[in-house]
Amino acid sequence: MVTKVPPRPVAPRRLLRLLLAAGVTATTMVAVPQAAQAVPSAEGDAKAGSGTTLTVAVSQSVDSLSPFLAQKLVSTSIHRLAYEYLTNYDAKDAKPIPGLATEWKSSPDKLTWTYTIRTDSKWSDGKQATAEDAAWTFNKMMTDENAATANGSFTSNFKKVTAPDPRTLVIQLKKPQATMTALDVPIVPKHVWEKVGDFSKFNNDKQFPIVGNGPFVITDFKVDQYIKLKPNKDFWRGAPKFDELVFKYYKDGDAAVAALRKGEVSFVPNLTPAQAASLKTAENIKVNDAPGRRFFALATNPGARAKDGKAFGNGHKALLDPAVRKALFLAVDRTTIVDKVFQGHAVEGEGYIPPRFGAYFWKPGAGQRLGYDPVKAERLLDQAGYKKNGDGKRAGKDGRPLDFRILCHATDPNDKAVGKYLQEWWGKLGIGLKVECLDNVGDPWTKGDYDLAFDGWSVNPDPDYVLSIHTCGTLPATPKDTGATDNFICDRQFDTLYARQSVEYDAAKRADLVKQMQSRLYDTGYMNIMAYPNALEAYRTDQIRSITTMPEAAGNLYGQDGYWSWWSAVPAASASDDSDGGSSTGVIVGIGAAVAVVAGLGIFLGMRRRSTADDRE
């Protein structure tokens, strides 16, 4: 297979006329500014004439600015802006398109992949980006376990990676691998990173600007305050339109919404339904409500353990009993969660992959589905020997009460709201629940010091990564180490299916295997997918003139599988000028009316992992 890079875009008005003449249309909603004005900086002190700043409010702490360690959504989103990947995802339909590689092909046996590296990509320090940078990145992940922390699943099957010349990257595989056009690995500059010693401790957050070759350059970072980025003027697709991009941290969602109303920030993701409703009538603010790429789940501690076989943590032993997990499953009313917590801005949870990814979406059959049935849950617990005492409390055979703890993200109102429902539903079963809302759930989670946890992930167009985090190979090497596992699940049947799908190139057969994996995950009861929340977000139309969603038709803006939103964003203050490559062109936001625009052809766009509420990718 060979994929070639599309031509560079021409001036939008000229292209628009060509498209209209050809009858090309697209579904869009154009944000029309009412009054252009200077955009405040992260500190809110920008003045007229000082340039345009796009400020994004975030509620999540950065786990690391090292692409080798980062797993949280805010961090991986930043890396998509700062580094190129070999391939990207088309904003229109998420199909693989060129990134750092302009084309790629495989050998007949699918064991050797050859990528042609573009000649017009430079690192922000002026050095040329080459195949050697990509080869070094992959080889480091293959030889240093710490460098494989975040994305090691992509290279675990690599046999050898070489760069015979600056434009050619060759990857030899141990066996066929279905993700070779979806390697979500940031390529880093060898001449910078080869100086790093311990990859487990290097967070890449001390020297700025950080050298990259993406559309933006990271220029500053303060823990739980902000991340600042400047446009990469030499980016091969063209430089972003805003003079600065700032991700500003807000612990409190209401404070972020208040800042949006005042114009102190340009964009706020992860709105509650109440916040979104209040903003729909606000002046100069546009709400985007679209099917999301995330799921909202209840994770059960399956007994934290390491690859060396040693168990650790203090998870409740009763949760190792499938009957208990199934009973808890039966006592969760997903319909109420969608209707009352998300107020209809979500879809009831079923399989692990959200319905947005239609080819991989799975739902349990009638005989397999565990619907809300508290009576059946009561009976199941009784039969398993967890009887109620005189006070109506259940206990195991060892006499230990079924009193559980659940990790809750302090910044996520959905966690707290669902936690109250679980206390009510499970309380009727005689099961106690303590909702532990923390600013940082990562520490007790990685230590295995929890019983249950609110979990969630942003799923990529290729589901391999989000499935890989439940394989035995992602467990930490020892209890003292940190693995890439999400929830310490190690199930041999799941692993066998994962191995089969990873080498299956037939799309239909691979999709069937992915569905079988979801079925197995469902039956084990370690993961209870409760809902697929909509992407509920808002931005100021007097600061952002136009911006691209992914997918183009009714997609999200924050946490995309690419850099399209922030790269494409046009300041409201921009003049209607054809020379800027797109400032006069409307692009998609929300579920809009059919209008003829540049985005419809894919020429303009042809140029494309953890958390809850925003906490893992």
Side-chain angles (χ1 to χ4, degrees):
M1 176 184 68
V2 177
T3 301
K4 294 186 177 180
V5 64
R8 284 177 175 273
V10 297
R13 280 191 179 172
R14 179 176 164 224
L15 179 56
L16 181 56
R17 287 194 293 270
L18 293 174
L19 292 174
L20 287 171
V24 177
T25 62
T27 301
T28 65
M29 181 177 291
V30 180
V32 181
Q34 297 189 23
Q37 64 181 38
V39 182
S41 70
E43 287 75 22
D45 58 359
K47 298 180 180 179
S50 63
T52 54
T53 299
L54 195 166
T55 304
V56 179
V58 295
S59 61
Q60 181 185 43
S61 297
V62 171
D63 52 347
S64 177
L65 287 182
S66 165
F68 298 96
L69 300 178
Q71 296 175 343
K72 290 186 177 181
L73 180 60
V74 66
S75 310
T76 57
S77 295
I78 294 295
H79 290 145
R80 287 190 180 277
L81 301 175
Y83 303 97
E84 278 275 53
Y85 297 25
L86 287 182
T87 61
N88 209 325
Y89 298 98
D90 195 322
K92 185 177 182 179
D93 54 17
K95 291 182 179 178
I97 61 171
L100 182 60
T102 60
E103 59 184 48
W104 47 89
K105 60 184 178 181
S106 66
S107 59
D109 62 4
K110 306 293 186 182
L111 292 177
T112 301
W113 286 74
T114 303
Y115 301 81
T116 300
I117 304 302
R118 64 177 58 258
T119 58
D120 54 355
S121 178
K122 289 186 177 181
W123 298 109
S124 53
D125 62 2
K127 296 184 182 296
Q128 181 71 38
T130 70
E132 182 61 29
D133 295 304
W136 186 89
T137 299
F138 292 130
N139 277 305
K140 173 54 68 172
M141 295 169 63
M142 293 162 60
T143 57
D144 186 333
E145 187 174 41
N146 292 320
T149 298
N151 299 304
S153 63
F154 291 113
T155 60
S156 61
N157 181 46
F158 287 11
K159 180 179 180 181
K160 185 178 182 181
V161 181
T162 59
D165 63 66
R167 290 205 65 201
T168 306
L169 175 73
V170 180
I171 300 178
Q172 297 179 39
L173 304 173
K174 300 172 186 175
K175 55 187 177 182
Q177 182 169 321
T179 61
M180 296 307 288
T181 59
L183 297 172
D184 292 322
V185 177
I187 304 301
V188 303
K190 174 186 175 182
H191 65 280
V192 174
W193 284 83
E194 65 182 353
K195 301 173 185 176
V196 175
D198 188 344
F199 273 68
S200 69
K201 298 178 179 178
F202 183 73
N203 282 312
N204 197 31
D205 57 2
K206 296 296 185 292
Q207 291 186 317
F208 298 95
I210 294 175
V211 179
N213 64 339
F216 290 90
V217 177
I218 303 172
T219 58
D220 196 9
F221 169 61
K222 292 289 186 296
V223 177
D224 288 347
Q225 293 186 46
Y226 60 77
I227 308 170
K228 295 183 178 182
L229 303 94
K230 293 283 189 181
N232 179 357
K233 299 298 185 181
D234 296 322
F235 184 54
W236 66 272
R237 288 192 199 276
K241 309 300 186 299
F242 275 87
D243 297 313
E244 185 174 43
L245 173 62
V246 177
F247 290 83
K248 186 177 181 181
Y249 178 78
Y250 284 87
K251 181 178 178 179
D252 181 73
D254 288 332
V257 170
L260 182 73
R261 289 181 178 277
K262 295 175 184 177
E264 295 172 354
V265 300
S266 316
F267 177 92
V268 177
N270 301 321
L271 298 173
T272 65
Q275 290 169 341
S278 72
L279 290 172
K280 283 186 176 179
T281 57
E283 186 177 5
N284 297 329
I285 291 178
K286 180 65 187 177
V287 174
N288 184 41
D289 184 359
R293 56 183 281 240
R294 300 182 58 74
F295 61 76
F296 179 75
L298 182 67
T300 305
N301 187 339
R305 57 199 182 284
K307 290 179 183 177
D308 63 7
K310 294 181 179 178
F312 58 95
N314 58 17
H316 201 298
K317 300 301 182 184
L319 291 172
L320 301 181
D321 187 338
V324 174
R325 298 196 300 272
K326 187 175 182 179
L328 295 181
F329 220 129
L330 288 165
V332 174
D333 187 350
R334 295 173 188 76
T335 301
T336 292
I337 290 174
V338 170
D339 292 344
K340 301 299 183 182
V341 177
F342 292 99
Q343 295 181 29
H345 298 277
V347 176
E348 186 174 329
E350 294 179 295
Y352 194 67
I353 309 297
R356 169 168 159 175
F357 305 99
Y360 299 111
F361 178 61
W362 170 87
K363 58 173 61 181
Q368 182 183 19
R369 186 175 186 273
L370 298 176
Y372 181 55
D373 192 341
V375 173
K376 187 175 181 179
E378 290 261 14
R379 185 166 61 250
L380 188 61
L381 289 170
D382 288 339
Q383 293 172 348
Y386 300 92
K387 303 292 185 178
K388 284 185 176 180
N389 60 23
D391 297 324
K393 293 284 295 181
R394 291 188 187 272
K397 297 177 182 178
D398 58 359
R400 185 181 180 185
L402 294 192
D403 287 332
F404 301 133
R405 306 156 296 168
I406 186 167
L407 287 176
C408 157
H409 300 75
T411 58
D412 188 355
N414 294 325
D415 281 13
K416 298 174 184 176
V418 174
K420 291 181 180 179
Y421 277 111
L422 295 180
Q423 287 176 321
E424 176 187 343
W425 296 330
W426 294 351
K428 294 177 181 178
L429 296 178
I431 296 174
L433 181 66
K434 180 181 180 182
V435 181
E436 299 179 337
C437 293
L438 307 173
D439 290 336
N440 178 15
V441 301
D443 289 342
W445 201 319
T446 55
K447 293 177 182 177
D449 291 339
Y450 68 100
D451 301 326
L452 303 119
F454 289 110
D455 196 4
W457 284 79
S458 294
V459 179
N460 296 330
D462 189 293
D464 181 87
Y465 178 81
V466 81
L467 294 170
S468 74
I469 58 177
H470 293 306
T471 58
C472 301
T474 60
L475 294 175
T478 72
K480 295 181 179 180
D481 296 310
T482 299
T485 182
D486 173 42
N487 195 43
F488 303 105
I489 293 174
C490 179
D491 179 75
R492 297 302 174 185
Q493 184 174 329
F494 183 88
D495 273 26
T496 298
L497 290 168
Y498 175 78
R500 289 176 59 193
Q501 69 81 32
S502 68
V503 302
E504 181 57 70
Y505 283 93
D506 183 283
K509 291 180 179 178
R510 184 176 180 226
D512 181 65
L513 289 167
V514 169
K515 290 176 182 178
Q516 290 182 50
M517 294 175 71
Q518 296 178 75
S519 178
R520 177 59 181 171
L521 204 56
Y522 186 92
D523 288 342
T524 62
Y526 292 125
M527 293 291 293
N528 181 348
I529 310 300
M530 295 183 287
Y532 310 112
N534 285 7
L536 206 52
E537 49 201 9
Y539 70 96
R540 291 199 65 92
T541 58
D542 54 356
Q543 295 185 18
I544 301 174
R545 178 180 181 176
S546 60
I547 189 168
T548 302
T549 62
M550 184 178 183
E552 287 184 357
N556 59 290
L557 292 166
Y558 184 75
Q560 293 182 354
D561 300 297
Y563 41 63
W564 307 116
S565 53
W566 314 129
W567 173 75
S568 72
V570 177
S574 290
S576 297
D577 180 6
D578 283 352
S579 65
D580 68 6
S583 65
S584 64
T585 303
V587 285
I588 300 169
V589 174
I591 304 174
V595 185
V597 292
V598 170
L601 188 62
I603 293 177
F604 175 72
L605 293 166
M607 330 234 198
R608 162 172 123 86
R609 113 190 128 85
R610 276 185 175 208
S611 100
T612 298
D614 193 36
D615 188 66
R616 300 158 83 82
E617 198 215 337

